[in-house]
Amino acid sequence: MAQDVMDGRVDARIPRTGGYAYEFTFSGLVSCGHCGCALTAEIKKGRYIYYHCTQYKGKCPEKYVREEVMAEQFAAILSRLKSTPGIYDLIVRALKSSFATEREEHELAVTRLTGEIDRLGKRIEAVYTDKLDGKISAEYYKRASSQWQDEMRRCHDELRRYQEASEAYMNEGVDLLILARDAEEIFQKHQGASRKRLLNFVLSNCTWKDAQLSANFRKPFDLLLENTILQPNPKSSGGYDDAGKENWLAFAAKYRTLLMMPDKYLREKLESIKRDDYRWQNKN
C-alpha cells in the first residue's frame, strides 16, 4: 500500500472505512464510445484493475478491460508525437528563427503602444484643464475623457500582453516540444496521478469502444502532430533548409502565435508535469 501511495495509484488523502480509497489512473478520462457514459474502475481479486461502462443509460455491450491493456493503447497514441530523428532539432531551429523576427516586431509594438498611452494621457489632462477654465462643458469632458480612458485601457491591456510575451515563451515553446517528443517515455515511466496529469494535458475526448481507444490531441500538440506527419524527413544535419525552409518557418510562425497568447492553464500544467519528472532538466 505504501508503494502504491508513492506511485500515485492510491490517494492517501481520501479515507474510507477499513483503509484508503483508490484513485484509479484513468478514471474521469475515458467515456464509453457506445453510449457516452463514463468508464469506471474496480479491483478484482485484490490486485487486478478493470474498467467498464457505468451503464447509467442502460445495458451497454462494451466489455470489461484491464488497466494494462488501456495503458498500452494510451502509450501507442502518445507515441505518435515522437518525431523522427532530426525533426525535433529542425523545429527548434525554425522556432528560434521565428522568434528573432518576433522580437523585432515586439519592440516596435511596445514603442507604439507606449507612445499612444502617453498621447491619450496628455489629451485627458488637457481636456480636464479646459473644463476647469470653462472652455468646454462638463458633459463634453465626461464623454471625451471616458472614450480616451477606454482607449488607454485597451492599450494597457495590449501592452501588458506584449510585456508578458518575453523569452519565457520561447523557453516554454521548447519545453512543449520536449514534452511531445518524450510523452510516451514519460507516460511509461510514471504511474497513477502523474500519468493522469500528463494525459489530461496532452489529450481530450478519450473514448473506449469495441476494445479500441481513441483520443484527440489538445493544442499545441495537435499542431505538432500535424507538422511531424506532414513535413519531410531532413536530409542532413546542416540546417532546416534541406527539409523545406518555408514549410518549417510557416509552422514555427503558427506555433509561435499560439505561444504568444498568455495561457495560465497551459503554463501551470506544464510546470506540474515537469515537477513530476525529476530528469526533465536533462532532456534537451
Side-chain angles (χ1 to χ4, degrees), residues 89-125:
D89 292 333
L90 294 178
I91 296 177
V92 171
R93 290 184 185 211
L95 187 60
K96 289 182 177 179
S97 176
S98 182
F99 262 87
T101 301
E102 179 65 28
R103 280 194 295 271
E104 296 177 6
E105 298 173 357
H106 175 275
E107 292 173 1
L108 291 174
V110 168
T111 300
R112 174 181 60 80
L113 289 167
T114 301
E116 181 68 7
I117 290 171
D118 183 62
R119 182 181 67 83
L120 290 168
K122 290 178 178 178
R123 277 190 175 186
I124 293 173
E125 290 179 5

Side-chain angles (χ1 to χ4, degrees), residues 82 122 130 156 168 203 213 229 231 250 274:
K82 187 179 297 183
K122 290 178 178 178
D130 287 344
H156 275 297
L203 303 175
L213 179 69
I229 291 174
Q231 298 292 353
K274 289 166 67 175

Side-chain angles (χ1 to χ4, degrees), residues 7 9 25-26 29 67-68 71-72 75 186-201 276:
D7 289 343
R9 186 179 297 277
T25 303
F26 305 135
L29 289 177
E67 183 173 78
E68 293 82 358
E72 288 177 3
I186 296 171
F187 176 82
Q188 297 282 25
K189 185 178 64 177
H190 291 292
Q191 295 291 331
S194 296
R195 276 187 167 183
K196 178 175 284 189
R197 276 192 288 273
L198 175 65
L199 294 175
N200 261 324
F201 186 55
D276 283 340

